[in-house]
Amino acid sequence: MTEVVDAAQETCPVHGADSGHPGDAAPAQEYEPLGPDSLTWQIWGTWTGMFQGLWAGSIQNMHPKLGAAVWDHSDFFGERWQRLMRSLYPISGVVFDSVVPGAQTGLEVRDYHRTVKGTMEDGSRYHALDPDVFYWAHATFWYGNVRLCERFGPFLTEDQKRQLFEESKAWYAQYGVSMRPVPDTYEDFLAYWGYMCRNVLRDHVSVRTVLDITQLPPPPFLGFIPRWLWDRYLVPRNQKIFMWLTTGFYDEPVREILGLEWTDKDERRFRLLGKGINLVMHRLLPKRVLRHPRPRDAWDRVTGKVARDAPIVHTPTRNLPPESERDNPMHYCPVTAARRASYPGVLTAD
């Protein structure tokens, strides 16, 4: 295990010792929403992100305040597939709804977090809109995209990574929150990421719960599999495979925090797998097939397949929160919708 450096010995190269507060004012700089000419639009919003699902959920929760907030307020662990599948719509919509007239998806996502606050075990307070907490979640989204491309394609140049970082600023600005935590350059961001992995991230019960998929039922598209068959034969294999995939995406300091081993043989196998996934997913399959319904619909608006002023595509009703939670302001919950997605790509209306 690597020794964790005390915060007094090393401060964040971007934020220093100031953690900020939810009420911090944003700078005056304006950012235009991203559009189809951006690199983010070209490579983000595909189903290949599912390979990285456990990585994203676990590394977000390794932030002490974010992990505490999820553990205290989220029913993620009680309806994992439904919450994951419905969350993809507003998360991707922050980027792709820029072509929908009047859409304010970023502000909606921000507002889901207004009431998420509480007290840590050490007595300190947390709030989901604390700038450093909120930016960490965003960092895992946009940089997770880079890490996915590095491993499974489409493979990026260093200039493209810098471009994605610059575009991530415009993406983050759509939330209408303080821009104070945002690093100035891609190099500054890498220093920030490294500092977080070495000094801030911690193991937590919410992290281990995300990584444990032994109680996870079959996903909706495999609902035909009998539960006894799933639990007895597929769950143990899924746990092993996805834990290995997740370990491959982690930075080495994170592996050490979690006590995970990664050998040279693992690395060779992971790179070989990445080449195969890149070939199938990014060279053989049509891009439209790979895209999640909300990004696909955005591209359809751009290409004229869908009217520009068509209503936003929402999650299928099967992914909605339990009825007892549908009035909770923390949830994205389109109880009625003019257009809903239905797999594999059919649109329906209420």
Side-chain angles (χ1 to χ4, degrees), residues 59-122:
I59 203 164
Q60 283 184 25
N61 288 357
M62 288 185 75
H63 189 295
K65 292 184 178 181
L66 202 157
V70 168
W71 191 250
D72 290 347
H73 294 272
S74 176
D75 191 31
F76 172 85
F77 309 110
E79 45 153 4
R80 291 183 67 168
W81 280 121
Q82 295 90 335
R83 187 176 182 87
L84 171 62
M85 291 300 183
R86 71 172 178 264
S87 295
L88 293 175
Y89 288 81
I91 289 172
S92 61
V94 177
V95 171
F96 291 98
D97 290 352
S98 62
V99 292
V100 180
Q104 294 186 316
T105 309
L107 302 184
E108 293 172 5
V109 170
R110 176 201 63 193
D111 290 347
Y112 296 148
H113 298 83
R114 286 195 179 278
T115 61
V116 180
K117 55 186 176 181
T119 304
M120 306 273 289
E121 290 184 356
D122 62 3

Side-chain angles (χ1 to χ4, degrees), residues 99-100 297-304 306-312 339:
V99 292
V100 180
D297 190 66
W299 276 106
D300 285 349
R301 292 170 192 268
V302 171
T303 58
V306 171
R308 286 269 184 166
D309 60 351
I312 288 177
R339 299 174 73 224

Side-chain angles (χ1 to χ4, degrees), residues 133-147:
V133 175
F134 205 75
Y135 184 73
W136 173 249
H138 174 70
T140 66
F141 289 143
W142 91 262
Y143 192 54
N145 189 27
V146 171
R147 299 303 295 270

